[in-house]
Amino acid sequence: MDQIKSLKWIVILTVISMGFPVYAQDQDVLRAQRSLAIAGYDPGPLDGYWGGLTASALSDFIADFNIGITIDGPEDLSGIVFDNLVAAFNMHNEALEADIPHLQVVINVDDARHLLERTGIGAHPAEINELVGLTRSEAISQIISGLDARAPLLPQPAWAEGGDFPNYWLRWDYEEEDRSRFRMARDREMNQLRAWWVDELVATDRPQAERLILFWHNHFVTAYSAIQEESHAMYLQHQLFRRLGHQNFRDLVTAILHDPAMLNYLDNDRSREERPNENLARELMELFVLGEGNYDEETVKEVARALTGYGYTRMGRLEFQFSPWDHDGGRKTILGRTGRWRAEDVANILLDQPEAAEFVARKFWTAYVSEFNYDEEQLASVASAFRDADYDVKTLLRHLLASPAFWAAENRGTIVKSPVDLLVGTVRSHGLALGGVVSLPNQLAALGQNLFEPPNVAGWPGAGDWLTPSRILLRNDMVGRLSDYVENSLAEQSEPDAQIMVAASAEPSISGDEETMAWGSIRVRYAAENFQGPPHFQVSAMRENDSGFIRSEWDSQIIVAEGGIDTERYGRVVAADLPWREVEIPVPIEINPDGFKISFLNDHCCGVGGSDGGDRNFYLDWLSYNNRLYPGSSGEQRTSCSSPDADRRSGYLYCRGHVTLTEYVTEETGPTFVRRSDQLLIDRVAFEWAEEIRGEDDWVSFSLGLLAPRLGSVGAEAMRIELVHNNTGNAGHRLLLKIEERECYPNCLGAAMPSAAYVNRDTGHREMNFVLIGREWDDERRQWNALTDEQRAFVSSLWIAMPELLRQSMQGRNWRERDAQRKYETWSEWLRRMEEALPRSRYAQHAATDGWALSGAHADSNSMSMMMSMMSGSANGAPELIAGMPAGEARDYVEDLSEPELFGQYFLTSAGGSEMPQVSQPAEVFQHPMYQLK
């Protein structure tokens, strides 16, 4: 061992003497090394350390491509470097493929459509014609060049990009009404995320990147409804696939083992050393990396041990959190290798198995080549290239697309179009600017592909599962409706039932008597379920007279709700999937309403088997007027429903009736974040967890969660504190307050903890102890002395408030549901001592002069103020872009195809080498059986 250490220092000193600076391991350096290696350069070991070989290889690359920049170290590895490394990879492979006959074939319309449909979402004729005339090798380079999805074309939902997270940690403490509002807010966010992704699938000029993201969502499966409606976790995972999905599978596997959505979905956030949960361990091997039959049950148990303590925090942002006290630090034997393994080690051990590359390559083959035909020799060659490239995704995809099997006639038309392929692909391919495109997510769900909601951990099975008898009928019906839209203009579609896929915005007409009025507008966000016609609704402006009687000041004309789901044909939808849309309604500018009433006028029920067979319902999200937002959930609802619970959820009208809206919020008058220098303010206190004091346990905790504790400039948006009883043995018993850096957001003390704080060697996070009763250690005294006066006042105020904080926590739901009272009673003696000691302690001298108070002024993310920000992120109608071009241009391009006899080649695949179908009209395309395949 000493010889190895000596050799290591000799190497380091030699590097320094040669003039090369020494750098720490860096992910960008590792990425550059991998990219250089697959582009034909020699960067030395692929280890993430900057050295002479890496610098030399980069210099050669820069000279070869005449980039015109200087790279002196890792800090110079910019986006332009990595973009050009992709180009270098493609050029290197084109040179290697120059002598492969089938890759030098010049692309025709059939080849181009085949390549685009398999790697993207549909194939617009303009995209097809861009590839025609290239060799197959060159066309593959075009696909590889567009795999980076980190910069989508369309703006993402405002809630996702804003950086503000709801209080996920607090939601279990809410009573049912507040908990329901919290869930509704998250459902609304998820609905917007689905709608945005569908719009991006339609608009993108990089469909191959979106196809790859869709693949990863169905490989590393999670589902929104199975992770306690944590919409932000789904968004973060989606961004993970955008960031890493086109790069390296090894990095992706490691990242997914730290991903909050995955850790929640497979219950690993609750996996402890004493009770390891095997779900993630099993699916990691069976579905993500190795495949069934390539591991045994003992390996599952050992991997589960290695993943104990891997969870995430809900304080502030949802971020990975390693809990060393929950981790099994013992030695584990995994596939013949023994050590004190953790997640990164597990990923590397699994990927060292030859079965890993073969398993992933086979899944890609199924998605890109054929669901039925497998050439084992070609598959082995693709897997070998993938493994030799250290699991580079571009290498895997390039070798797959370059295989003879991909271009073989017998493999064309051997993949059943998924609902995304069928519906979104049709919109893209034909340039259809559908007014009701926001309802596409619901149509995808009706066909079995509800985005962010795969049916189980194995994902969407694809192939024949898309073609069950009931789904075939729905597929034909939906495609037929798209065909009707192509044949007829939107204005000619007058029957409401024909507007399920094509919904125009409702705009009431103005009568002659009203033409002289000055008009403003109100906006209403609603959703509809249709049954033998759509819902009709009316908006009334209400005034309160001197007697307190609310009367109508103005009534809109009757409005036909559009974009609804036909429940008789497609069934009812869950709340999270309601097809929300907005309508702008003219209103006389001189009105001065005290509120509004929304009336649902034409309830109709039911289909065969009751409401599940068809029901007409109307849903109100919000109404906005003059910068006031009136949430439907805050209204007073009255309907004709006989059920006493029917009106409990305001805004959900299942029967004829109305919602009266008088409560509103504005940006100017919304809750503000008040601070005082003489009083500790806290918005809410919640019981988190506790341990019983029993026997001679040396460390027992009682944990509280605090929403927005603050004093002057010190405090946090969210914070977890621990009251600790510490039995030290010979030194006696102690009672202390513990705060941890990782249990606060964004920090605990208004700044980073001082250097005197303890540093957890396993996590790197800082923590501090403040002793009330018993002996104070020297390092704890140094921690107190390292605080500023304001920080001492904050900590002291927390201590002085502790008895009341404990009593306040008893008001929440957590106290009742987590058996807190029984545990609290075991603390009674020490809590009595605490109350006696506090007035005589140093904390009483340093605490805020006005004590503490519950403020409630901090804007919670599921409050009405959250809805104000969501207004700006919601929109109606089709994306302005289709296939990367203006929607009108995309449609005109299709209509102007100069050779009708080639129409079939642009839109239909050939079946197993048969002749291309001869069609010349859109209706013939949609009705052809081959339109269901690609």
Side-chain angles (χ1 to χ4, degrees):
M1 181 61 69
D2 290 338
Q3 290 178 332
I4 293 174
K5 289 181 179 178
S6 300
L7 180 60
K8 179 178 179 181
W9 279 108
I10 291 172
V11 171
I12 292 174
L13 292 172
T14 302
V15 169
I16 295 174
S17 69
M18 294 173 64
F20 295 117
V22 178
Y23 293 93
Q25 190 177 38
D26 187 284
Q27 285 299 308
D28 281 342
V29 172
L30 177 59
R31 182 183 170 196
Q33 290 170 337
R34 289 168 170 167
S35 299
L36 287 164
I38 61 176
Y41 297 90
D42 179 12
L46 307 183
D47 55 10
Y49 292 99
W50 182 274
L53 287 175
T54 299
S56 177
L58 277 167
S59 296
D60 291 343
F61 155 70
I62 288 170
D64 291 343
F65 281 79
N66 194 27
I67 298 177
I69 61 174
T70 301
I71 300 181
D72 296 322
E75 66 278 1
D76 298 321
L77 293 172
S78 62
I80 191 171
V81 173
F82 290 109
D83 288 344
N84 278 276
L85 280 168
V86 175
F89 167 78
N90 283 327
M91 288 185 62
H92 176 67
N93 279 276
E94 285 181 36
L96 296 176
E97 295 162 359
D99 296 327
I100 301 177
H102 80 274
L103 295 179
Q104 299 310 308
V105 172
V106 174
I107 289 272
N108 58 20
V109 170
D110 185 35
D111 274 354
R113 189 216 65 262
H114 171 67
L115 178 62
L116 290 167
E117 279 200 321
R118 291 297 182 84
T119 60
I121 313 292
H124 190 274
E127 296 173 316
I128 291 172
N129 289 337
E130 284 183 7
L131 297 184
V132 171
L134 301 179
T135 65
R136 289 173 173 174
S137 178
E138 292 167 339
I140 292 171
S141 293
Q142 293 280 82
I143 298 300
I144 300 298
S145 297
L147 291 177
D148 190 341
R150 288 174 294 176
L153 280 183
L154 303 180
Q156 299 178 74
W159 63 266
E161 291 191 312
D164 293 327
F165 279 56
N167 295 306
Y168 285 110
W169 65 275
L170 188 55
R171 69 183 184 270
W172 290 291
D173 199 51
Y174 293 141
E175 297 301 338
E176 188 53 44
E177 183 177 352
D178 287 336
R179 189 180 292 192
S180 177
R181 289 185 180 184
F182 187 91
R183 286 194 296 263
M184 288 170 63
R186 309 290 79 77
D187 288 348
R188 189 183 296 113
E189 290 164 353
M190 203 65 226
N191 187 280
Q192 288 187 340
L193 183 61
R194 285 194 185 98
W196 167 79
W197 193 17
V198 169
D199 285 355
E200 181 66 22
L201 290 171
V202 171
T204 183
D205 58 353
R206 291 179 172 233
Q208 62 270 54
E210 301 301 323
R211 165 64 62 191
L212 194 55
I213 294 170
L214 192 60
F215 176 89
W216 291 128
H217 268 294
N218 201 40
H219 182 80
F220 296 111
V221 173
T222 53
Y224 165 69
S225 63
I227 61 169
Q228 295 82 50
E229 294 88 26
E230 291 184 356
S231 52
H232 289 72
M234 295 303 299
Y235 171 76
L236 292 173
Q237 187 185 81
H238 185 80
Q239 295 305 306
L240 170 65
F241 295 148
R242 288 189 175 275
R243 187 173 68 253
L244 295 180
H246 63 291
Q247 296 185 28
N248 188 276
F249 184 68
R250 186 186 299 274
D251 292 346
L252 194 53
V253 172
T254 301
I256 211 69
L257 293 176
H258 298 76
D259 174 63
M262 182 61 70
L263 293 170
N264 186 337
Y265 182 64
L266 292 178
D267 305 316
N268 206 82
D269 57 331
R270 296 178 286 280
S271 185
R272 308 286 185 264
E273 178 180 7
E274 63 275 12
R275 293 189 305 276
N277 188 292
E278 297 180 0
N279 290 351
L280 179 56
R282 186 179 307 280
E283 308 309 345
L284 173 66
M285 291 185 285
E286 180 177 333
L287 297 175
F288 301 165
V289 179
L290 294 179
E292 195 172 2
N294 294 314
Y295 60 91
D296 57 24
E297 285 302 307
E298 187 59 31
T299 304
V300 172
K301 296 182 184 301
E302 294 292 273
V303 171
R305 290 178 58 210
L307 298 180
T308 51
Y310 278 67
Y312 65 101
T313 179
R314 295 179 174 92
M315 283 280 175
R317 299 180 63 86
L318 302 178
E319 295 180 334
F320 171 75
Q321 187 174 82
F322 176 67
S323 300
W325 47 88
D326 290 325
H327 177 68
D328 184 341
R331 298 172 69 81
K332 303 109 183 165
T333 299
I334 299 174
L335 298 175
R337 294 170 61 177
T338 301
R340 301 184 187 276
W341 306 129
R342 292 188 178 181
E344 296 82 351
D345 306 306
V346 169
N348 290 328
I349 291 170
L350 298 185
L351 290 168
D352 284 345
Q353 312 305 308
E355 294 84 1
E358 295 166 6
F359 172 71
V360 178
R362 185 175 295 273
K363 288 198 72 170
F364 267 80
W365 183 288
T366 303
Y368 285 87
V369 178
S370 176
E371 292 176 326
F372 309 105
N373 301 328
Y374 295 88
D375 185 307
E376 297 301 331
E377 184 177 346
Q378 292 186 50
L379 252 174
S381 176
V382 171
S384 177
F386 185 38
R387 185 167 49 251
D388 291 347
D390 194 28
Y391 293 94
D392 176 70
V393 173
K394 294 185 299 297
T395 298
L396 168 60
L397 195 52
R398 174 136 207 149
H399 278 74
L400 197 68
L401 301 181
S403 67
F406 179 82
W407 298 97
E410 60 269 20
N411 286 327
R412 302 193 185 195
T414 60
I415 295 179
V416 178
K417 287 183 179 179
S418 70
V420 167
D421 288 318
L422 188 66
L423 298 184
V424 181
T426 294
V427 171
R428 279 181 52 85
S429 299
H430 294 268
L432 304 182
L434 301 179
V437 74
V438 288
S439 67
L440 275 176
N442 302 90
Q443 310 310 314
L444 295 174
L447 293 181
Q449 194 171 21
N450 190 8
L451 296 180
F452 301 105
E453 283 288 357
N456 51 52
V457 71
W460 297 293
D465 188 66
W466 301 133
L467 296 178
T468 62
S470 61
R471 286 177 178 169
I472 288 176
L473 293 174
L474 285 177
R475 288 166 72 97
N476 290 335
D477 180 77
M478 291 181 184
V479 170
R481 289 169 179 268
L482 291 175
S483 175
D484 292 341
Y485 178 71
V486 174
E487 295 292 338
N488 305 289
S489 68
L490 183 60
E492 294 172 330
Q493 299 189 32
S494 57
E495 293 189 19
D497 188 52
Q499 295 176 358
I500 185 168
M501 295 289 294
V502 186
S505 63
E507 186 171 335
S509 61
I510 301 171
S511 68
D513 293 338
E514 299 172 320
E515 287 182 354
T516 59
M517 290 183 178
W519 292 86
S521 66
I522 61 178
R523 288 165 62 199
V524 176
R525 188 169 191 259
Y526 70 88
E529 287 186 304
N530 299 351
F531 174 60
Q532 298 176 0
H536 295 174
F537 68 98
Q538 186 176 45
V539 180
S540 302
M542 311 300 290
R543 286 286 289 170
E544 183 175 352
N545 61 22
D546 295 339
S547 302
F549 178 72
I550 296 289
R551 61 177 177 80
S552 174
E553 180 184 25
W554 167 88
D555 299 316
S556 75
Q557 295 190 0
I558 294 174
I559 303 166
V560 177
E562 296 179 332
I565 295 298
D566 187 336
T567 59
E568 187 174 23
R569 179 177 281 109
Y570 304 117
R572 300 287 302 281
V573 296
V574 297
D577 297 329
L578 286 170
W580 297 103
R581 58 185 294 110
E582 292 176 31
V583 61
E584 188 167 347
I585 304 169
V587 61
I589 202 168
E590 64 269 19
I591 68 170
N592 185 27
D594 295 312
F596 290 91
K597 182 171 72 174
I598 312 292
S599 301
F600 173 32
L601 304 174
N602 64 332
D603 178 38
H604 181 43
C605 186
C606 289
V608 177
S611 62
D612 287 341
D615 194 5
R616 185 185 299 162
N617 300 309
F618 181 78
Y619 304 90
L620 172 68
D621 193 10
W622 48 254
L623 178 150
S624 69
Y625 175 69
N626 276 359
N627 200 36
R628 295 178 177 181
L629 182 80
Y630 296 80
S633 59
S634 298
E636 182 179 341
Q637 181 166 304
R638 295 287 184 272
T639 67
S640 60
C641 290
S642 58
S643 169
D645 296 329
D647 294 331
R648 187 164 293 177
R649 192 171 185 178
S650 181
Y652 283 57
L653 290 92
Y654 298 106
C655 305
R656 181 186 179 99
H658 64 267
V659 178
T660 302
L661 307 173
T662 56
E663 295 186 18
Y664 64 87
V665 66
T666 71
E667 292 179 351
E668 291 79 12
T669 62
T672 56
F673 196 64
V674 177
R675 289 181 179 272
R676 291 181 55 179
S677 59
D678 58 351
Q679 187 177 49
L680 172 68
L681 299 177
I682 302 174
D683 285 356
R684 183 169 178 134
V685 184
F687 171 75
E688 288 286 297
W689 53 268
E691 299 166 306
E692 300 176 46
I693 294 182
R694 56 189 179 186
E696 297 300 313
D697 290 344
D698 59 353
W699 190 271
V700 184
S701 299
F702 200 108
S703 177
L704 300 179
L706 308 180
L707 179 61
R710 57 209 185 270
L711 176 66
S713 63
V714 179
E717 293 181 23
M719 182 179 190
R720 184 177 288 117
I721 59 175
E722 288 184 38
L723 184 62
V724 177
H725 173 253
N726 177 209
N727 181 359
T728 65
N730 293 335
H733 294 256
R734 307 193 311 155
L735 191 68
L736 58 92
L737 177 68
K738 177 184 177 182
I739 61 175
E740 294 184 72
E741 191 174 53
R742 69 179 193 161
E743 299 289 5
C744 303
Y745 183 81
N747 50 58
C748 300
L749 300 172
M753 285 188 176
S755 58
Y758 294 122
V759 178
N760 188 296
R761 65 181 182 181
D762 290 302
T763 68
H765 289 96
R766 297 177 182 270
E767 53 194 54
M768 303 179 77
N769 296 339
F770 301 100
V771 179
L772 174 68
I773 298 175
R775 180 177 175 181
E776 181 180 51
W777 310 135
D778 290 343
D779 45 10
E780 292 169 335
R781 188 175 300 110
R782 284 192 291 271
Q783 291 172 11
W784 170 258
N785 292 332
L787 297 180
T788 67
D789 289 344
E790 198 172 35
Q791 289 171 338
R792 288 178 189 166
F794 177 71
V795 171
S796 298
S797 298
L798 288 175
W799 251 129
I800 296 300
M802 183 61 70
E804 281 298 317
L805 295 180
L806 288 167
R807 284 188 277 274
Q808 188 64 37
S809 72
M810 298 177 186
Q811 307 303 313
R813 192 165 181 162
N814 285 348
W815 188 272
R816 301 192 304 273
E817 296 188 351
R818 297 182 180 180
D819 195 24
Q821 184 63 35
R822 182 178 59 82
K823 298 170 183 176
Y824 176 79
E825 290 170 356
T826 69
W827 282 73
S828 59
E829 175 61 22
W830 282 97
L831 295 178
R832 182 187 63 79
R833 295 188 190 184
M834 176 187 73
E835 296 206 41
E836 291 177 352
L838 281 172
R840 304 190 303 270
S841 69
R842 67 186 179 194
Y843 305 113
Q845 301 171 23
H846 289 86
T849 56
D850 279 0
W852 81 283
L854 280 177
S855 168
H858 182 53
D860 187 10
S861 295
N862 73 315
S863 69
M864 292 189 292
S865 62
M866 180 68 175
M867 299 178 69
M868 290 295 296
S869 67
M870 293 180 65
M871 279 177 55
S872 62
S874 58
N876 269 340
E880 296 180 359
L881 299 174
I882 296 179
M885 66 188 87
E889 182 180 325
R891 181 63 195 147
D892 290 344
Y893 196 102
V894 176
E895 293 177 348
D896 293 341
L897 288 177
S898 58
E899 301 179 71
E901 64 274 10
L902 297 180
F903 207 75
Q905 291 190 37
Y906 281 102
F907 300 114
L908 293 175
T909 185
S910 55
S914 63
E915 291 187 8
M916 179 60 59
Q918 297 300 307
V919 298
S920 59
Q921 298 297 326
E924 297 176 11
V925 170
F926 290 122
Q927 294 167 9
H928 201 285
M930 293 308 299
Y931 194 70
Q932 301 283 342
L933 305 175
K934 63 176 184 174

